[in-house]
Amino acid sequence: MTTKKTITVVQGDHAVSSDQSVVLTTVLGSCVAACLFDPSMRIGGMNHFLLAGSGSSRAGDMRYGVNAMELLINRLLQAGAQRHLIVAKLFGGASMTDHAGDIGKANAAFAIDFLYQENIPCISQSLGGDLARRVQFTPSTGAARQLQIAGADPNIVPTRAAPTPGQDITLF
């Protein structure tokens, strides 16, 4: 039996792996995570960005979508992924508060548009709503699983979350 190694991808970060024992995980509210995967090389990665676009004056600021997406793609290519084979799965973009504008909607729209502009097919997505999500992504297979979490603070990674009936979704 293979022991799984969990790597938590925090806000403004990313991770890439082809190790079969690695599972990437994150918790999202209005943030978005893109899970990118090259099925031929069996390598994938996940990012976690807070804000749409590239509003930072600091180059490479991973809080912003354009930097997070470009850095994740570049890391995949450096690790051997073939650009024309990369596919994506998107998660997050929830509306978590009434007084913060619709950051989640803007993040989701940005991610979808970015993938379209970069000619990267989005093969599945779970965007919007008003619940936080815990996402698990196996970068060597491209399998993703999400658990929607009612009443959760997306800034705190729970150590254990009981699934709400009907809210546990596995995306292949």
Side-chain angles (χ1 to χ4, degrees):
M1 181 176 195
T2 304
T3 303
K4 293 291 182 185
K5 178 182 175 188
T6 302
I7 298 173
T8 301
V9 179
V10 297
Q11 294 175 348
D13 202 3
H14 70 282
V16 170
S17 182
S18 60
D19 185 337
Q20 293 179 6
S21 68
V22 168
V23 174
L24 305 177
T25 187
T26 196
V27 175
L28 304 163
S30 59
C31 296
V32 166
C35 299
L36 303 183
F37 175 65
D38 174 344
S40 72
M41 298 304 292
R42 301 188 61 79
I43 187 168
M46 173 193 280
N47 65 17
H48 180 150
F49 65 86
L50 286 74
L51 299 167
S54 60
S56 175
S57 60
R58 288 183 14 209
D61 188 340
M62 291 271 299
R63 294 177 302 166
Y64 292 91
V66 72
N67 297 335
M69 295 300 288
E70 289 178 357
L71 288 170
L72 178 58
I73 292 167
N74 288 337
R75 278 276 313 276
L76 284 166
L77 296 176
Q78 290 169 355
Q82 298 178 52
R83 177 82 162 80
H84 68 283
L85 296 177
I86 295 174
V87 295
K89 296 179 181 183
L90 296 174
F91 299 91
S95 178
M96 300 302 293
T97 64
D98 291 334
H99 42 63
D102 207 343
I103 296 168
K105 186 175 182 178
N107 285 341
F110 166 81
I112 291 168
D113 186 59
F114 182 93
L115 293 174
Y116 176 79
Q117 295 296 325
E118 294 296 318
N119 201 30
I120 297 173
C122 183
I123 60 173
S124 65
Q125 60 182 290
S126 177
L127 298 166
D130 59 3
L131 297 176
R133 296 164 167 86
R134 173 185 282 268
V135 178
Q136 296 174 329
F137 178 63
T138 305
S140 64
T141 66
R145 182 174 185 213
Q146 134 181 308
L147 173 67
Q148 291 184 326
I149 308 166
D153 180 346
N155 297 314
I156 299 172
V157 178
T159 56
R160 191 175 121 208
T164 304
Q167 296 298 314
D168 195 5
I169 301 171
T170 301
L171 302 172
F172 296 97

